[in-house]
Amino acid sequence: MPHTPDRHAIRGSYVTFCANPFTTPDALVLEEDGLIIMEHGRITQCGPYATLSPLLGDNTPLTHYPDCLISAGFIDAHVHYPQISAIASWGEQLLPWLEQYIFPTEAEFADVDVARRTARLFLSELLRNGTTTAAVYCTVHPQSVDAFFEESARLGTRMIAGKVLMDRNCPPNLQDTAQSGYDQSAALIARWHGRDRQLYAVTPRFAITSTPEQLELAGTLFQHTPGLYMQTHLAENLDEIAAVRSLFPNRSSYLDVYAKAGLDGPRAIFGHAIHMAEHDFAHCHHSGCTLAHCPTSNLFLGSGAFALFDALKPTRPVHVALGTDVGAGTSLSLLATMGEAYKVSLMAGDTRLSAAQALWLATAGAARALHLHDHIGLIAPGMEADLCVMDPAATPLMAQRSARCTSLAERLFTLMVLGDDRAIRATWANGRLVHARAETQADTAAHTG
Ligand code: GUN
Ligand code: ZN
């Protein structure tokens, strides 16, 4: 076979889905000794190594990951890149936390060098954690969006991001106006939406910091550009909800504030949605909205426990994906976030999140929730080649625990309860290696032993 540049193959155990594990048992599929062949950024073939290895010929570079578990790259449905500098800020719930820590941090992004440096660090941290797609809040400054997409385009990652819109109830140096926010967003959409793998999200921060006029204009943008996303925060904290009620006395609920402005529907992503009534979930179901469940953030800010299995009620399921929500979230690791989602599922009700369901929420389910399931979220021919290579024995403790695992579910559960960036051996995006963990003692022993 002639050598094709940009063709590469990976050998190892991999997991993917043949169905939704919330509705179908045995939806998680394991290929114990698998081969994934990638060309020009896509998976062209995958399956058992024994069957597919003749396709490799002499000229396809092959990387072998023995003793690892390969998954589609993780998807983070809600995160703020400028806030990585303010992660772990002590002592406050949502509204004072924003005033005291977040607004001053975001004000630093008036300086494009801060934006470029932070975007570079943030994206390299995502890749160190196995995350290859995220829905990302920038700041109110348009250059914060340019800096982010420039770095993502350089790396070849598929990202969704947008300029935050805020025209009231925030410091003057972070305010736009309804019109300037609209104009700046429109220019960014023209520059970035659909360029390479980059996608734009209209991003009104939340109802408290936007006038009705700004929400209306955001809705106009969202409804009139095909494939555009919308992201905002919804029903996260009781003081926030009370403030929204007094700012919008004529709306029937927090969600109704957004719905009346045209900010609902497919590709609308609402962060948190903790304090929801049945009619809110029903509205999300009928209009096709997505909820981003951010368990580490909800615990850190004392916001409450997202009712995952209420949201997913089989008679009117709502799309749900996981978000890290850094800087309120305490980790960029989707593995750690899956582990916290398990704990919060026990706090919120009596249904337990399984390891397969948690992985679904971080991969194929998230892709479906974001209407990207034709592109990412599965290991299958035709999908974009975004992969995350997990090491179940990344630390001595994980090695000890994993050695006792007798099923795939148990191995995955160990990874999500004990794992974080240390458990990500490598990350591939668009068919290219974009992160390789420095060798551990265990790796060295495997090579020399
Ligand atoms: N609500 C409005 N802005 C924010 C934010 O930056 N983080 C969180 N967690 N909630 C918000
Ligand atoms: Zn957030």
Side-chain angles (χ1 to χ4, degrees), residues 61 63 71 74 98 113 169 181 198 218 264 268-269 291 316 349 351 381 390 399 419 428:
T63 306
S71 158
F74 295 141
L98 283 172
D113 289 333
N169 294 325
Q198 314 312 318
D264 59 351
I269 312 164
L291 305 180
R316 49 120 194 83
T351 314
M390 298 178 283
W428 292 71

Side-chain angles (χ1 to χ4, degrees), residues 356-418:
Q357 289 167 340
L359 183 66
W360 166 265
L361 292 177
T363 57
R368 196 170 285 191
L370 298 176
H371 297 265
L372 288 172
H373 50 285
D374 290 340
H375 300 274
I376 57 173
L378 290 174
I379 298 179
M383 302 302 284
E384 294 169 9
D386 291 348
L387 301 168
C388 144
V389 183
M390 298 178 283
D391 175 2
T395 68
L397 173 61
M398 290 181 73
Q400 170 83 1
R401 180 64 186 89
S402 296
R404 296 163 65 95
C405 290
T406 55
S407 67
L408 173 62
E410 210 184 335
R411 272 163 85 200
L412 264 182
F413 191 64
T414 301
L415 271 165
M416 69 190 239
V417 174
L418 298 178

Side-chain angles (χ1 to χ4, degrees), residues 55-287:
L55 297 177
L56 290 176
D58 296 331
N59 291 314
T60 307
L62 175 68
T63 306
H64 191 188
Y65 294 110
D67 305 319
C68 287
L69 198 54
I70 303 166
S71 158
F74 295 141
I75 299 168
D76 184 342
H78 183 116
V79 61
H80 302 251
Y81 96 81
Q83 295 182 14
I84 55 170
S85 316
I87 192 170
S89 291
W90 185 84
E92 300 294 351
Q93 287 210 352
L94 175 64
L95 298 178
W97 172 82
L98 283 172
E99 292 280 343
Q100 200 170 315
Y101 298 115
I102 296 307
F103 290 155
T105 304
E106 294 193 3
E108 294 169 19
F109 285 68
D111 179 347
V112 72
D113 289 333
V114 171
R116 289 195 183 119
R117 269 202 311 275
T118 312
R120 209 173 309 132
L121 174 64
F122 173 83
L123 280 160
S124 91
E125 282 296 303
L126 284 197
L127 298 174
R128 280 185 356 90
N129 281 284
T131 301
T132 48
T133 289
V136 179
Y137 288 62
C138 302
T139 66
V140 74
H141 315 93
Q143 63 268 30
S144 73
V145 183
D146 287 320
F148 181 79
F149 277 137
E150 277 160 16
E151 181 64 5
S152 174
R154 190 182 74 75
L155 291 164
T157 44
R158 184 176 275 294
M159 290 288 155
I160 302 167
K163 175 201 124 69
V164 165
L165 300 166
M166 290 199 278
D167 66 344
R168 65 168 167 178
N169 294 325
C170 66
N173 61 348
L174 283 177
Q175 272 183 40
D176 53 15
T177 66
Q179 192 60 48
S180 72
Y182 177 93
D183 294 342
Q184 290 168 346
S185 301
L188 288 163
I189 291 164
R191 191 142 67 241
W192 289 108
H193 184 59
R195 174 164 156 193
D196 302 324
R197 303 183 80 199
Q198 314 312 318
L199 296 162
Y200 195 84
V202 176
T203 308
R205 176 172 222 115
F206 65 161
I208 293 178
T209 46
S210 286
T211 58
E213 294 70 36
Q214 180 160 70
L215 295 179
E216 281 290 326
L217 284 179
T220 305
L221 269 178
F222 176 51
Q223 298 295 340
H224 289 98
T225 314
L228 209 62
Y229 289 81
M230 193 292 301
Q231 56 185 352
T232 190
H233 296 84
L234 172 67
E236 176 179 3
N237 166 287
L238 296 178
D239 291 340
E240 169 209 18
I241 292 168
V244 171
R245 195 173 297 126
S246 70
L247 287 167
F248 296 88
N250 298 325
R251 294 290 172 253
S252 62
S253 73
Y254 194 161
L255 180 60
D256 190 47
V257 172
Y258 296 132
K260 287 288 188 314
L263 293 167
D264 59 351
R267 297 187 180 78
I269 312 164
F270 295 101
H272 308 294
I274 296 169
H275 309 283
M276 296 277 277
E278 171 56 31
H279 61 83
D280 295 321
F281 282 135
H283 182 98
C284 289
H285 167 76
H286 290 296
S287 57

Side-chain angles (χ1 to χ4, degrees), residues 275-356:
H275 309 283
M276 296 277 277
E278 171 56 31
H279 61 83
D280 295 321
F281 282 135
H283 182 98
C284 289
H285 167 76
H286 290 296
S287 57
C289 300
T290 287
L291 305 180
H293 173 25
C294 307
T296 75
S297 164
N298 299 160
L299 293 169
F300 183 74
L301 291 181
S303 304
F306 176 68
L308 174 64
F309 286 89
D310 276 356
L312 296 174
K313 198 156 100 180
T315 50
R316 49 120 194 83
V318 178
H319 288 301
V320 177
L322 291 178
T324 63
D325 193 32
V326 164
T330 50
S331 170
L332 285 172
S333 166
L334 258 311
L335 283 177
T337 304
M338 288 157 61
E340 297 307 287
Y342 166 76
K343 297 173 197 169
V344 169
S345 77
L346 293 190
M347 279 170 61
D350 57 6
T351 314
R352 297 141 200 216
L353 184 67
S354 73

Side-chain angles (χ1 to χ4, degrees), residues 1-11 35-39 55-64 428 431:
M1 185 177 297
H3 177 72
T4 313
D6 221 17
R7 182 176 156 96
H8 204 106
I10 290 176
R11 180 180 180 184
L35 184 67
I36 303 166
I37 305 177
M38 309 175 290
E39 209 169 302
L55 297 177
L56 290 176
D58 296 331
N59 291 314
T60 307
L62 175 68
T63 306
H64 191 188
W428 292 71

